[in-house]
Amino acid sequence: MSTITINITDADGQAHTIADATTGITLMEVSKQNGIAGVLGNCGGGAACGTCHVYVDAAWQDRLPGPDSIEEDMLEILEDTRRDNSRLGCQIRLTDAMEGLVVKVAPPSDY
Ligand code: FES
């Protein structure tokens, strides 16, 4: 286990740099640990609520492992806020390769 730096803009538009994000846990979990506004994680990481929805910076989109079918199904439900770069933070497990990751919290969905 190690730590990496991630950059996340919260739901209020405030930019945060988290310099000690622990690898092996998810982006949703580290966001909650750091009180990032707009990341609720209501389903506990089961890809079933969409309250960890983030937009991945374009430079990072192809550098992350892609969503599985369960994540895709949840993202489809978030159609009012979904973009090409949408991901569920609970499905992004941090690794050393994600040093410098840049994401933005998506607005809440009306679903
Ligand atoms: Fe519920 Fe990610 S925490 S979908």
Side-chain angles (χ1 to χ4, degrees):
M1 200 159 59
S2 55
T3 59
I4 58 173
T5 298
I6 62 172
N7 304 288
I8 183 164
T9 301
D10 69 20
D12 299 327
Q14 183 106 26
H16 302 266
T17 297
I18 300 172
D20 58 353
T22 307
T23 58
I25 68 170
T26 68
L27 179 61
M28 178 276 281
E29 290 167 318
V30 82
S31 298
K32 286 189 56 118
Q33 285 173 358
N34 286 273
I36 301 298
V39 179
L40 304 180
N42 286 344
C43 75
C49 71
T51 62
C52 63
H53 183 192
V54 296
Y55 300 131
V56 175
D57 186 81
W60 279 93
Q61 243 180 300
D62 295 335
R63 296 171 64 183
L64 300 179
D68 63 15
S69 61
I70 295 170
E71 181 178 357
E72 279 288 357
D73 286 349
M74 188 65 236
L75 289 170
E76 261 178 44
I77 293 170
L78 304 175
E79 60 183 350
D80 59 330
T81 52
R82 185 179 186 178
R83 297 184 188 164
D84 287 346
N85 57 345
S86 284
R87 293 297 305 270
L88 298 179
C90 68
Q91 302 303 302
I92 299 175
R93 195 163 293 279
L94 300 177
T95 68
D96 288 337
M98 296 178 194
E99 169 64 36
L101 178 66
V102 181
V103 301
K104 184 176 190 301
V105 177
S109 170
D110 288 333
Y111 90 92

